[in-house]
Amino acid sequence: MAITSFTDEYTCPIPPSRIFKASIIDSHNLMPKLMPQAIKSIEFVQGNGGAGSIKQINFPEGGNFKSIKYRIDELNEEKFVYNYTLIEGDALIDKLEKITYEVKFEQSADGGSISKVTSTYYTEGDFKLKEDEIKAGKEKVLGMYKAVETYLLQNPDAYA
């Protein structure tokens, strides 16, 4: 097994508490509304959102993926930390055992937030990840964050 990690940082003008509530705590409600072309629905298949819960993301017909499932490993609303593991679905191509994500929102000097995301890919055998596939995944995640950021900027009372 090979392990490959990447850490990315994103800045946002929204305070950590709001962006965390919208993009993490209420993602199962908000994301399908903001991005119906990308996410059909998000549902809990086990648990109620805390550590150990399992979420399933269902994608619209005609896309590259049908669905994925991930397990919530840590949800800390006080420190704005969210860790989860992709455990099942089309995104786990044959040579990937799992992908873990560590997400942390920190207060920035301007009152906004800095999002730090570490993605760790656990591959089977000597399989090597393709850089363009990783880049495409990162762009999708950034697109979701930007959709939430735009929504929160346009709706200043939402998730306040």
Side-chain angles (χ1 to χ4, degrees), residues 39-54:
I39 298 174
K40 182 177 177 181
S41 65
I42 302 175
E43 57 195 52
F44 289 101
V45 294
Q46 178 180 311
N48 61 0
S53 296
I54 296 177

Side-chain angles (χ1 to χ4, degrees), residues 70-119:
Y70 65 88
R71 180 187 63 241
I72 299 170
D73 300 315
E74 180 182 4
L75 177 67
N76 187 324
E77 293 183 56
E78 294 173 9
K79 295 184 179 181
F80 312 118
V81 172
Y82 186 61
N83 298 328
Y84 62 100
T85 302
L86 183 61
I87 56 172
E88 187 180 311
D90 307 323
L92 284 177
I93 55 177
D94 292 342
K95 302 292 183 178
L96 280 176
E97 179 184 317
K98 65 181 177 181
I99 307 170
T100 62
Y101 299 91
E102 297 175 9
V103 181
K104 181 175 176 108
F105 294 92
E106 298 176 347
Q107 184 82 32
S108 62
D110 64 2
S113 58
I114 300 168
S115 164
K116 295 181 183 179
V117 180
T118 300
S119 309

